């Protein structure tokens, strides 16, 4: 019963690049990919500065190296995941197995939801550490760029989670429509007898005519 759920019957068509590029989900994937590059690349290139108190370069967010490491880690994984999901979305139309489609949608929903939460934590942590930063040597523009695109990443991943949830709910709805309860079927188990001549639902006995008009007794002729 799952063969026609999650859009499986529509699989097998030719790949349309223009149509794929105009999908809201594809645009959000691309934006998430770009935002993640900005975050981890900015921290890697300009996020560590030499302060007057310490000889080694430290994180520009209040000298908290863990804050920069967290931002880089979240950004790199988001970058790789965006690429993987873009390829999966392009290949999704060719998948005819409803179970595989369901697993992909559930994975998309779970990952997008988790990364929305992790980007939110990243934004809160970096914002808090930035407010505590007093070193004038810190590149303020780079720090603001990281905070801005961390916030934008929350929005894009949250919208991706919403689209994944809508696809999952649509697939569940298709499964519910396909299901038929055998107890609700009222078809008779056997076809009506060929000798039924009465009204619908009434079957006349084959011996009724002979029993109703038996006739008179005729003795045999000798």
């Amino acid at each position: 019963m799952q063969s026609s759920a999650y859009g499986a019957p529509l699989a097998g068509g030719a790949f349309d690049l223009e149509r794929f590029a105009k999908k809201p989900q594809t645009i959000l994937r691309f934006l998430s990919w770009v935002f993640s590059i900005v975050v981890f690349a900015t921290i890697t290139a300009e996020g560590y500065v030499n302060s007057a108190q310490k000889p080694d370069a430290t994180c520009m967010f209040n000298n908290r190296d863990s804050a920069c490491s967290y931002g880089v880690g979240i950004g790199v994984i988001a970058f790789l995941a965006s690429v993987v999901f873009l390829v999966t979305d392009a290949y999704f139309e060719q998948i005819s197995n409803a179970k595989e489609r369901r697993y992909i949608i559930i994975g998309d929903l779970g990952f997008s939801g988790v990364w929305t939460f992790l980007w939110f934590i990243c934004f809160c942590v970096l914002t808090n550490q930035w407010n505590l930063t007093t070193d004038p040597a810190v590149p303020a523009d780079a720090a603001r760029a990281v905070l801005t695109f961390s916030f934008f990443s929350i929005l894009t991943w949250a919208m991706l989670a919403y689209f994944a949830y809508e696809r999952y709910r649509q697939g569940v709805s298709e499964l519910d429509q396909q299901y038929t309860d055998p107890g609700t079927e009222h078809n008779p188990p056997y076809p009506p007898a060929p000798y039924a001549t009465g009204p619908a639902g009434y079957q006349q006995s084959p011996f009724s005519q002979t029993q109703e008009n038996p006739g008179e007794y005729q003795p045999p002729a000798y």
Side-chain angles (χ1 to χ4, degrees):
M1 296 299 295
Q2 296 183 358
S3 59
S4 60
Y6 299 97
L10 304 177
F15 178 72
D16 189 348
L17 179 60
E18 182 178 359
R19 176 175 171 270
F20 174 74
K22 292 181 178 180
K23 286 184 175 181
Q25 192 171 358
T26 304
I27 297 174
L28 290 172
R29 298 264 192 231
F30 180 75
L31 291 176
S32 300
W33 178 72
V34 173
F35 296 163
S36 64
I37 293 177
V38 173
V39 171
F40 79 78
T42 302
I43 295 177
T44 302
E46 304 181 45
Y48 294 89
V49 296
N50 293 318
S51 62
Q53 295 81 8
K54 296 182 180 181
D56 298 330
T58 57
C59 178
M60 62 181 173
F61 293 100
N62 197 29
N63 298 326
R64 297 284 183 176
D65 291 342
S66 58
C68 286
S69 299
Y70 181 82
V72 171
I74 295 298
V76 170
I77 297 177
F79 166 79
L80 297 175
S82 297
V83 175
V84 171
F85 280 116
L86 272 173
V87 175
T88 304
D89 290 342
Y91 182 66
F92 188 81
E93 300 297 334
Q94 309 300 322
I95 300 176
S96 59
N97 190 310
K99 184 177 294 186
E100 293 181 2
R101 284 183 170 230
R102 178 174 176 269
Y103 290 153
I104 291 174
I105 293 174
I106 292 177
D108 184 10
L109 175 60
F111 187 89
S112 299
V114 170
W115 239 247
T116 300
F117 178 70
L118 293 180
W119 273 120
F120 176 75
I121 294 178
C122 179
F123 174 76
C124 293
V125 169
L126 296 182
T127 301
N128 179 62
Q129 296 301 321
W130 174 244
N131 291 331
L132 299 176
T133 302
T134 58
D135 190 352
V138 172
D141 292 338
R144 294 191 185 98
V146 172
L147 296 177
T148 300
F149 287 98
S150 296
F151 178 77
F152 289 161
S153 296
I154 299 173
L155 302 179
T156 56
W157 283 99
M159 295 180 68
L160 286 171
Y162 170 76
F163 280 113
Y165 173 74
E166 287 296 321
R167 289 201 299 173
Y168 176 76
R169 189 176 67 172
Q170 181 181 1
V172 173
S173 177
E174 291 173 354
L175 284 176
D176 292 340
Q177 292 177 359
Q178 293 171 22
Y179 177 75
T180 302
D181 187 1
T184 60
E185 298 181 356
H186 300 287
N187 297 329
Y190 302 103
Y195 48 80
T197 58
Y202 173 78
Q203 295 181 357
Q204 189 175 3
S205 173
F207 306 102
S208 60
Q209 295 181 356
T210 59
Q211 292 177 357
E212 292 176 359
N213 301 316
E216 298 179 357
Y217 173 75
Q218 296 180 0
Y222 296 99

